[in-house]
Amino acid sequence: MNPVQLRQIEAFVYQKFCKEGTGHDFSHMKRVASMACQLADRENADKRVSEAAGWLHDITDDKLVDDPAASKLELIQFLKKIGIREEERIAIDEAIADVSYRNGHKQPKTLEGQIVQDADRLDAIGAVGIARAFAFGGAHGRLIHEEGNDQTTIQHFYEKLLLLKDLMNTDSAAMIAKERHEFMKDFLRQFHLEWERKGESRA
Ligand code: ADP
Ligand code: NI
């Protein structure tokens, strides 16, 4: 895989996700690709496979496309068309197979897959993660917060986002996750203070 092919993959992903507005937009793919490349460098993994898989990790996701099997076929044809060798296509496919958190927290088999999963999870926490959670919540008609309601976006922090820092596959990602986790905890602390108006003048 060469840099030109990576730019072709980027353009393919742009065309698929530029109109997405639920937190899985093109900029998410760009951050995951870039973080995967950085983690691969630190973990001595294949940087180009990690970057390509970062770009493509959501392309066949059943929550984003109507027909995942058709998307997968289209992806294979596209990768063939731009001249990606078969062993690289297999490496990319393996790296994106088990990334999603919803599929029972599977750990991807290859190091590149573990890296892409870490990069995807890192994008769900910290300041960007907070923004994405509320974008997702709003797009799905969820309330921000409500006492006793377990379907709110704030609830999602306790059910998933605060657990992610302990689920990182690589040490490099765990280090980044720690800082982002602390930022989310600070955010939640301030959120609850403002929501309950404790320690604030009511004048
Ligand atoms: P995946 O694990 O496949 O990346 P998710 O849909 O679980 O997919 O997560 C993608 C993004 O959507 C994350 O930023 C996550 O926080 C957000 N998200 C998922 N479910 C919810 C929810 N119920 N409320 C708010 N945000 C959510
Ligand atoms: Ni993703």
Side-chain angles (χ1 to χ4, degrees):
M1 209 177 326
N2 59 46
V4 172
Q5 287 167 322
L6 280 169
R7 296 292 67 82
Q8 287 172 310
I9 291 173
E10 175 179 348
F12 180 75
V13 171
Y14 180 76
Q15 163 229 320
K16 297 280 175 205
F17 289 110
C18 61
K19 298 220 165 61
E20 220 284 333
T22 66
H24 287 95
D25 54 13
F26 175 73
S27 73
H28 167 63
M29 311 309 157
K30 193 178 170 92
R31 285 188 303 273
V32 173
S34 147
M35 180 63 80
C37 186
Q38 184 186 322
L39 294 175
D41 191 34
R42 294 191 195 165
E43 299 288 329
N44 293 317
D46 188 315
K47 280 170 69 174
R48 287 189 175 157
V49 167
S50 302
E51 183 184 332
W55 279 115
L56 295 166
H57 77 281
D58 274 333
I59 210 125
T60 60
D61 191 317
D62 57 11
K63 72 174 172 297
L64 300 174
V65 296
D66 298 332
D67 187 347
S71 297
K72 188 159 181 181
L73 211 63
E74 188 190 356
L75 174 62
I76 294 170
Q77 279 166 353
F78 164 73
L79 293 175
K80 274 189 190 164
K81 193 180 80 188
I82 64 167
I84 305 283
R85 285 182 286 115
E86 191 180 356
E87 68 252 39
E88 284 178 331
R89 269 194 284 121
I90 293 170
I92 293 171
D93 190 48
E94 278 177 345
I96 63 179
D98 297 319
V99 166
S100 181
Y101 181 90
R102 288 166 306 129
N103 300 338
H105 297 232
K106 273 193 223 144
Q107 189 185 48
K109 286 182 266 313
T110 63
L111 177 58
E112 288 73 19
Q114 293 172 17
I115 280 171
V116 174
Q117 187 177 62
D118 282 355
D120 193 31
R121 288 175 172 175
L122 284 173
D123 209 50
I125 62 177
V128 167
I130 294 170
R132 292 182 66 219
F134 288 102
F136 183 103
H140 290 82
R142 288 168 188 253
L143 288 180
I144 292 174
H145 178 52
E146 187 178 46
E147 201 63 49
N149 181 348
D150 64 1
Q151 296 295 311
T152 65
T153 299
I154 285 292
Q155 190 58 26
H156 183 65
F157 283 78
Y158 298 99
E159 273 169 18
K160 174 177 165 186
L161 304 183
L162 291 173
L163 313 182
L164 292 179
K165 83 161 178 16
D166 293 326
L167 294 173
M168 296 294 155
N169 302 297
T170 64
D171 292 343
S172 311
M175 267 170 54
I176 302 170
K178 216 170 155 223
E179 201 180 314
R180 295 188 181 189
H181 180 84
E182 288 310 312
F183 184 82
M184 276 197 307
K185 277 183 25 192
D186 286 347
F187 164 76
L188 287 168
R189 210 173 291 127
Q190 179 70 16
F191 179 91
H192 289 299
L193 276 177
E194 291 180 18
W195 192 271
E196 288 144 28
R197 299 200 62 191
K198 281 187 189 146
E200 223 184 276
S201 147
R202 286 174 194 243

